[in-house]
Amino acid sequence: MAISTADFKNGLTIEVDGAIWRIVEFQHVKPGKGGAFVRSKLKNLRTGAVQEKTFRAGAKMEQAPINTRKMQYLYEDGDSRVFMDTDNYEQIEVPDEAIKDQLQFLQENMEVNVIQYGSETLGIEVPNTVVLTVTATEPGIKGNTASGGSKPATMDTGLVVQVPFFVNEGDKLSINTQDGSYISRA
């Protein structure tokens, strides 16, 4: 389906130069001299690279038909992960390279959205927050306040997060998957 720059919105997927891009952000610019254009920041769904592109106002391009399927993460198989469709029990393997940014949040039996273009799997979307268990951190010392300072804590998936001093080993914490930051105790 052909779309123009007037149809741009964040999250829309387009095909440009044989690659599949997701629009991260865009801005319509109308300079005093010359024609209007659209400045955009695009993320390549195959490589994960982020690139800035400029399009003429009204330029036409193809919308990429992206399919998202709710699937359950089952297990690690060498250098890939196995996911199962919860509706028809079909299993697919996704290479670690395609989901390297989400691996640190992935837990067995977690429900994720698998992003596909035709039969090609491009990646996964994890929930905005996940609950992880602290496996290693320095013990909190009496006198440290809850409001001041932080310490590193290693979670059960290998993710290292800066947490307040009152967090101990074995605590379950809510973690933001967008930036890997501590939200609260779970």
Side-chain angles (χ1 to χ4, degrees):
M1 183 172 101
I3 60 167
S4 79
T5 55
D7 301 321
F8 273 19
K9 52 183 181 264
N10 291 346
L12 185 74
T13 52
I14 57 174
E15 252 180 289
V16 179
D17 304 328
I20 302 162
W21 302 89
R22 172 172 280 141
I23 298 172
V24 178
E25 59 185 57
F26 68 98
Q27 178 183 16
H28 291 277
V29 180
K30 296 181 181 104
K33 183 178 177 185
F37 59 92
V38 176
R39 189 177 293 135
S40 63
K41 187 183 277 188
L42 307 173
K43 181 176 183 174
N44 187 318
L45 293 181
R46 286 192 176 112
T47 64
V50 177
Q51 189 174 5
E52 294 201 9
K53 281 192 180 285
T54 304
F55 300 98
R56 283 183 349 284
K60 300 265 188 217
M61 64 215 53
E62 284 295 313
Q63 182 174 354
I66 296 295
N67 181 23
T68 53
R69 294 168 59 187
K70 191 172 254 344
M71 298 186 109
Q72 184 179 33
Y73 170 58
L74 295 179
Y75 57 90
E76 181 179 356
D77 185 21
D79 57 354
S80 63
R81 307 293 162 133
V82 178
F83 295 86
M84 177 183 70
D85 191 318
T86 52
D87 295 331
N88 60 14
Y89 305 108
E90 174 192 348
Q91 292 186 8
I92 61 165
E93 279 191 34
V94 180
D96 286 353
E97 191 60 34
I99 57 172
K100 61 181 177 278
D101 296 337
Q102 291 86 10
L103 283 177
Q104 56 198 0
F105 304 112
L106 210 52
Q107 296 174 302
E108 285 189 6
N109 302 323
M110 175 186 271
E111 296 245 329
V112 299
N113 287 325
V114 175
I115 304 164
Q116 294 182 313
Y117 175 71
S119 62
E120 177 187 4
T121 302
L122 298 173
I124 63 169
E125 290 175 348
V126 293
N128 288 336
T129 59
V130 293
V131 176
L132 301 176
T133 306
V134 178
T135 56
T137 188
E138 299 159 16
I141 300 159
K142 190 173 182 179
N144 287 346
T145 60
S147 61
S150 62
K151 61 183 181 178
T154 305
M155 311 311 283
D156 52 359
T157 60
L159 175 69
V160 177
V161 179
Q162 290 296 320
V163 299
F165 287 118
F166 61 80
V167 172
N168 298 312
E169 286 184 25
D171 287 357
K172 291 190 179 297
L173 307 179
S174 290
I175 305 296
N176 180 346
T177 59
Q178 304 302 314
D179 57 8
S181 62
Y182 163 84
I183 298 172
S184 66
R185 278 186 173 159

